[in-house]
Amino acid sequence: MEKTNHSEVTEFIILGFFELPEMQLLLFLVFLIIYLMSLTGNLLIILTVCSDSHLHSPMFFFLINLSFLEICYVTVTVPKLLAVLIAQNKTISFLHCMIQMYVFLACIDVEFYLLTAMAYDRYVAICNPLRYTTIMNRKVCIILAIVSWTIAFLNPVPHVTLISQSSFCSSVEINHFFCDMTALISLSCSEIYVIETINYIEGPLVGFTPFILTILSYVYIISAILKIHSAKGRQKTFSTCSSHLTVVLLFYGTSFGVYFRPKPVYSRDLNKVFTVVYITAIPVLNPLIYSLRNKELKESLWKATRKAQSWVFFQDQ
């Protein structure tokens, strides 16, 4: 196959869900609704937490970061997918493709670290409640957030740099609905040994280390909860971390399905399905999970909704 140097490649073609030509309009409507729901839900959480002083705690500080991250997830991928579905605008510039891949990979890493920081917050709150405010003070929370975002945005630099300098075969069609790293690697005619080596070394550090730390946090949390004598006390304590645990299981289940599947069972179509859940469903479900399972946030959202309704009513008078 004829090779084309990366400097000669000015754009790629995103195939999207080309296997379903008769469902393009339906898919457009589905993803548009999901996108709007995700933006609305996460923005509502950010505004509610920021406006209610009772929610100015470490747990909700990290939740704001998580909600902002979910907005980044969908904004970096879904608008282009909508253009592909409704306008058949399938081309994406080389630079835009690299930026999209970089930001998406960075967002994945941020979520690994943020969920770990949130697990540590729950561990301190449940296992060391008397020192909670001392340990999880404002300075510590800000440092954890800054470190999470900084390291996460540095991690993808080697991957994106190597892929951007690769030579690509004559085909520039990306069999995905965004510039996914695995899809771009499959188009490369260059040696991918270095990229694979970095993945094998960095993968356990980025993915499994936060996962293990999160698991360890919950081992101690569950152990502490089981020591509580009353069933009501155990239920009340567990309810403070049930939202986070649900999000952790959802995130790790889909992310491992996308990026840590063995090659023999790798399927591009299956990869698309996992990635759809990963990119669109999680940003929609996270606000619902936290708002429905967290009593404080649910009450604040309800108060904010009633205030908004009252304001609209008086404006109409």
Side-chain angles (χ1 to χ4, degrees):
M1 186 178 290
E2 182 187 351
K3 295 185 179 180
T4 305
N5 188 271
H6 78 278
S7 61
E8 298 172 6
V9 175
T10 58
E11 61 185 25
F12 291 99
I13 298 173
I14 297 178
L15 297 180
F17 298 96
F18 69 97
E19 310 94 333
L20 306 168
E22 70 285 351
M23 296 182 65
Q24 299 295 293
L25 179 58
L26 177 61
L27 288 172
F28 170 80
L29 294 174
V30 169
F31 283 113
L32 177 61
I33 292 170
I34 289 174
Y35 181 54
L36 294 176
M37 286 177 63
S38 178
L39 289 181
T40 304
N42 285 290
L43 280 173
L44 189 58
I45 284 182
I46 292 173
L47 293 173
T48 302
V49 173
C50 289
S51 62
D52 191 340
S53 59
H54 295 95
L55 300 180
H56 292 178
S57 66
M59 180 176 68
F60 292 108
F61 169 77
F62 289 119
L63 181 57
I64 287 177
N65 279 265
L66 189 64
S67 293
F68 178 74
L69 176 66
E70 305 298 1
I71 292 173
C72 293
Y73 261 129
V74 292
T75 302
V76 79
T77 53
V78 176
K80 181 58 185 177
L81 172 59
L82 295 175
V84 170
L85 291 171
I86 194 65
Q88 295 299 300
N89 180 17
K90 297 185 177 183
T91 59
I92 183 170
S93 70
F94 183 89
L95 179 60
H96 188 186
C97 186
M98 294 300 112
I99 292 173
Q100 187 185 55
M101 177 176 61
Y102 169 73
V103 176
F104 177 74
L105 291 174
C107 286
I108 295 172
D109 293 348
V110 173
E111 188 144 8
F112 277 121
Y113 300 139
L114 281 180
L115 290 177
T116 304
M118 294 173 81
Y120 177 69
D121 169 71
R122 293 298 84 205
Y123 158 74
V124 177
I126 293 172
C127 299
N128 205 346
L130 296 179
R131 298 187 59 205
Y132 176 67
T133 54
T134 304
I135 296 173
M136 296 302 295
N137 56 62
R138 182 182 178 86
K139 183 179 178 180
V140 170
C141 293
I142 292 173
I143 290 173
L144 286 172
I146 291 174
V147 169
S148 297
W149 285 91
T150 303
I151 294 178
F153 272 83
L154 291 175
N155 280 339
V157 171
H159 302 82
V160 177
T161 301
L162 289 169
I163 292 174
S164 67
Q165 294 176 351
S166 298
S167 296
F168 293 94
C169 299
S170 56
S171 174
V172 291
E173 295 181 340
I174 300 174
N175 187 12
H176 217 294
F177 56 87
F178 73 106
C179 289
D180 178 62
M181 182 176 68
T182 54
L184 281 167
I185 289 175
S186 67
L187 296 179
S188 174
C189 294
S190 302
E191 287 290 333
I192 61 172
Y193 171 75
V194 177
I195 299 175
E196 289 184 335
T197 302
I198 293 174
N199 284 338
Y200 286 133
I201 294 172
E202 192 182 75
L205 292 174
V206 174
F208 285 106
T209 301
F211 178 68
I212 291 170
L213 291 174
T214 303
I215 292 296
L216 286 174
S217 297
Y218 272 100
V219 168
Y220 284 107
I221 288 170
I222 293 171
S223 176
I225 290 174
L226 292 176
K227 291 178 182 177
I228 299 174
H229 297 294
S230 67
K232 187 176 180 180
R234 288 195 296 269
Q235 184 179 1
K236 184 179 179 180
T237 305
F238 181 73
S239 66
T240 63
C241 60
S242 60
S243 301
H244 176 258
L245 181 59
T246 304
V247 171
V248 165
L249 294 173
L250 186 62
F251 172 74
Y252 277 101
T254 52
S255 61
F256 284 171
V258 172
Y259 293 103
F260 295 97
R261 273 200 326 278
K263 283 189 176 181
V265 296
Y266 181 84
S267 165
R268 289 180 180 176
D269 292 335
L270 187 61
N271 192 47
K272 281 185 186 180
V273 173
F274 274 112
T275 311
V276 165
V277 176
Y278 191 74
I279 292 177
T280 59
I282 292 179
V284 171
L285 292 175
N286 279 1
L288 292 174
I289 292 169
Y290 275 101
S291 60
L292 292 176
R293 299 182 71 89
N294 188 285
K295 185 179 179 181
E296 294 173 278
L297 183 59
K298 185 161 57 176
E299 289 178 353
S300 293
L301 285 169
W302 176 242
K303 289 177 182 177
T305 303
R306 284 190 297 178
K307 284 182 180 179
Q309 289 175 342
S310 300
W311 184 83
V312 172
F313 174 77
F314 284 117
Q315 289 292 314
D316 291 338
Q317 296 301 310

